[in-house]
Amino acid sequence: MAKSLHETNDKIQDIAVLVSLITPETKQTGIDPSYSLDELVRLAETAGVEVAETVVQNRDKPDPRWFIGKGKVLELRELMDRLGANTAIFDQELSGAQVRNLEEMLDAKIIDRTQLILDIFAQRAKTREGIIQVELAQLTYLLPRLTGHGRNLSRLGGGIGTRGPGESKLEMDRRHIRRRIGELKHQLEEVTRHRRLHRARRKETGVVQVALVGYTNAGKSTLLKQLTNADVYVENQLFATLDPTTRLLPLPGGKDVVLTDTVGFIQNLPHDLVAAFRATLEEVNEADLILHVVDASSPMRQEQMEVVGRILNELGAGGKPQIVLFNKIDLCLPEGLQMLPSGEGYLKISAYDERDLTAIREALQRSLSGGTKSFRIPAERGDLASVLYRIGDVVNQQMDEADMIYHVNVNQADFAKYGYQLAPFAVQKPNVHEETNESR
């Protein structure tokens, strides 16, 4: 079961030197190495680590034995001795052999970016589902690296890199760990089955689903809290919340939608983590509309948007209807605001401005609306009246000879599910003007 630092030993203080290796291949990924290192500092601080120093090396390729060059390893050992650091955190993923070699040379705990993120998730997991997913991701990550974490496993007192499965589980042999992974996958399948049942019930009742997605710390949880009065944890930290929260959000037209806050994305998000959290992230795939929350004040705003777009594509949700919310505009300079995209599908907002929250609700109303459609229903087909009310709001109805003409403000998602029954009775030219999307 996932444990926090305070549950292991709150007297232990990890003092770390952060290490980044820059190669030509690194530059080809499009990720700014300096920004990635700055983000690693924030991740370490989020995990409760004191960052003593950062070290960067440029090489043509990683050293297969040490990851960084041997000379740089010796420099790192001298630096850590001088600073009293007991941990080295690498911005890239290490192999088990590299971890073992670095541990022996540095006489310190070795953590890579993936393990650091998993450690933060272990701290954040509160629900049974979250705890299962974190432990599954940690064990899947550690299984091929068991021989490379000898010092981590034997060192008493905990700290980063030892949270989650716990020391006793990590000392199992591979067969037992594989068995535990199988058990966790089975438990997760049960959780996934329950989620599917809940989603199926929501679909049957015609409830529209909206997912909040975005880079970590973009303000998703704050928006959920402000829009729905949800009792959720909000803090200026990376991965401040982990477990998804779902709340009802009333729209101006009187209809409710289901709004779900999802786990924040980050560049180099561990594949094991994405796989383990797929049950949670499936909420994005089931959404009728995505609210992409962007930190407008971030200097890496565009890169963060690209990371979110890439992960959405990996999840199969890249083609979903989307509204981009440029959040935290109160922290932006006027010239910075002018550079943000505007028009249909974009809103510039502050989560703490009530006018902007109203604008979001109105934008949702417009985006989920399929405009106004008219239907001529013969008197003998009175059974279709219930379908008319299911696909949207009936704004007007009138008799015309033996038929009844209905004008309906259509909800796109509901119309897609039930509108086929009304297709033979559609009137091509509705009498009510269809609304168009506007943006702030």
Side-chain angles (χ1 to χ4, degrees):
M1 181 176 291
K3 300 179 182 179
S4 71
L5 175 63
H6 300 293
E7 290 175 312
T8 50
N9 188 337
D10 55 12
K11 296 180 181 179
I12 291 294
Q13 174 64 58
D14 288 289
I15 302 173
V17 173
L18 275 49
V19 185
S20 176
L21 178 66
I22 302 175
T23 65
E25 185 178 344
T26 304
K27 297 174 182 177
Q28 290 173 4
T29 62
I31 297 173
D32 184 345
S34 61
Y35 172 70
S36 183
L37 185 57
D38 289 342
E39 194 169 70
L40 188 69
V41 172
R42 295 185 63 203
L43 286 167
E45 291 172 348
T46 298
V49 176
E50 179 185 333
V51 178
E53 186 61 87
T54 60
V55 173
V56 177
Q57 183 180 34
N58 288 274
R59 281 177 62 94
D60 289 338
K61 59 182 180 179
D63 185 291
R65 182 172 173 80
W66 312 99
F67 188 68
I68 55 177
K70 184 176 181 181
K72 183 61 72 172
V73 176
L74 296 175
E75 289 180 23
L76 181 59
R77 183 173 66 181
E78 182 181 338
L79 176 65
M80 293 179 69
D81 288 344
R82 189 170 72 251
L83 296 174
N86 56 6
T87 305
I89 303 178
F90 285 74
D91 196 23
Q92 292 82 22
E93 195 168 293
L94 303 174
S95 70
Q98 288 167 340
V99 170
R100 182 175 64 253
N101 294 333
L102 288 166
E103 282 178 346
E104 291 174 355
M105 180 65 79
L106 298 176
D107 188 28
K109 189 188 306 179
I110 306 300
I111 304 292
D112 63 18
R113 184 185 180 95
T114 297
Q115 195 171 359
L116 180 61
I117 293 174
L118 289 172
D119 185 87
I120 294 170
F121 272 64
Q123 295 183 54
R124 298 287 187 257
K126 303 299 179 188
T127 65
R128 175 175 173 268
E129 177 185 1
I131 291 168
I132 290 171
Q133 290 175 130
V134 170
E135 185 176 354
L136 175 59
Q138 288 179 314
L139 290 176
T140 302
Y141 168 79
L142 286 171
L143 181 59
R145 295 174 170 83
L146 286 179
T147 57
H149 285 78
R151 187 175 297 276
N152 279 10
L153 304 189
S154 63
R155 183 169 297 200
L156 299 177
I160 62 166
T162 60
R163 281 181 280 250
E167 187 171 357
S168 61
K169 289 190 179 68
L170 291 175
E171 289 174 337
M172 297 178 193
D173 61 22
R174 295 180 189 277
R175 180 170 54 85
H176 290 131
I177 289 183
R178 287 195 183 98
R179 181 184 303 163
R180 178 60 179 161
I181 287 175
E183 292 171 357
L184 291 169
K185 286 182 176 179
H186 177 71
Q187 293 176 32
L188 203 54
E189 285 171 4
E190 282 296 302
V191 171
T192 304
R193 188 176 65 82
H194 285 298
R195 279 191 174 277
R196 289 196 187 115
L197 287 174
H198 285 302
R199 284 198 292 259
R201 289 187 191 125
R202 290 204 297 257
K203 284 182 178 297
E204 288 173 3
T205 57
V207 175
V208 176
Q209 301 177 60
V210 178
L212 282 165
V213 305
Y215 208 79
T216 182
N217 205 35
K220 299 183 303 301
S221 296
T222 301
L223 264 178
L224 181 74
K225 183 174 184 177
Q226 295 297 108
L227 285 168
T228 68
N229 296 317
D231 183 18
V232 293
Y233 178 71
V234 175
E235 190 57 61
N236 184 25
Q237 295 176 334
L238 301 182
F239 302 118
T241 53
L242 173 60
D243 297 301
T245 305
T246 297
R247 295 290 185 272
L248 284 178
L249 171 62
L251 296 184
K255 193 160 189 175
D256 292 340
V257 298
V258 170
L259 184 62
T260 301
D261 182 19
T262 61
V263 62
F265 297 158
I266 194 169
Q267 63 180 2
N268 300 331
L269 192 66
H271 292 297
D272 292 335
L273 199 60
V274 173
F277 278 78
R278 189 163 292 276
T280 301
L281 294 172
E282 279 179 3
E283 294 289 341
V284 179
N285 279 334
E286 296 297 326
D288 299 294
L289 176 69
I290 289 173
L291 287 181
H292 179 181
V293 185
V294 180
D295 181 356
S297 66
S298 171
M300 302 300 293
R301 177 184 62 243
Q302 189 59 41
E303 288 80 0
Q304 292 176 357
M305 292 178 68
E306 290 171 0
V307 168
V308 173
R310 186 164 61 247
I311 295 176
L312 286 176
N313 285 331
E314 290 175 7
L315 294 171
K320 293 277 184 182
Q322 188 176 127
I323 298 176
V324 178
L325 303 179
F326 289 109
N327 190 27
K328 306 185 184 181
I329 60 171
D330 48 312
L331 303 179
C332 297
L333 296 173
E335 54 268 27
L337 285 178
Q338 293 175 3
M339 296 176 62
L340 295 174
S342 58
E344 185 177 338
Y346 297 95
L347 284 175
K348 303 171 188 177
I349 61 118
S350 167
Y352 296 104
D353 190 319
E354 189 58 44
R355 294 170 301 175
D356 292 341
L357 298 178
T358 299
I360 294 172
R361 296 185 186 99
E362 292 173 347
L364 281 171
Q365 180 80 38
R366 290 193 300 270
S367 295
L368 293 171
S369 172
T372 302
K373 299 183 184 297
S374 296
F375 303 91
R376 177 184 288 271
I377 307 297
E380 65 270 16
R381 291 306 309 270
D383 58 302
L384 291 175
S386 62
V387 181
L388 289 163
Y389 284 94
R390 178 172 283 185
I391 65 168
D393 300 318
V394 177
V395 296
N396 188 26
Q397 59 187 64
Q398 60 195 66
M399 286 290 297
D400 184 12
E401 298 179 354
D403 299 337
M404 181 71 78
I405 297 178
Y406 293 88
H407 303 297
V408 186
N409 282 340
V410 172
N411 179 285
Q412 281 185 349
D414 292 333
F415 186 70
K417 297 172 188 172
Y418 310 111
Y420 67 93
Q421 301 175 64
L422 300 167
F425 310 103
V427 177
Q428 294 302 313
K429 294 183 179 181
N431 295 332
V432 183
H433 179 65
E434 291 190 14
E435 291 185 311
T436 58
N437 283 342
E438 296 174 340
S439 64
R440 174 173 172 171

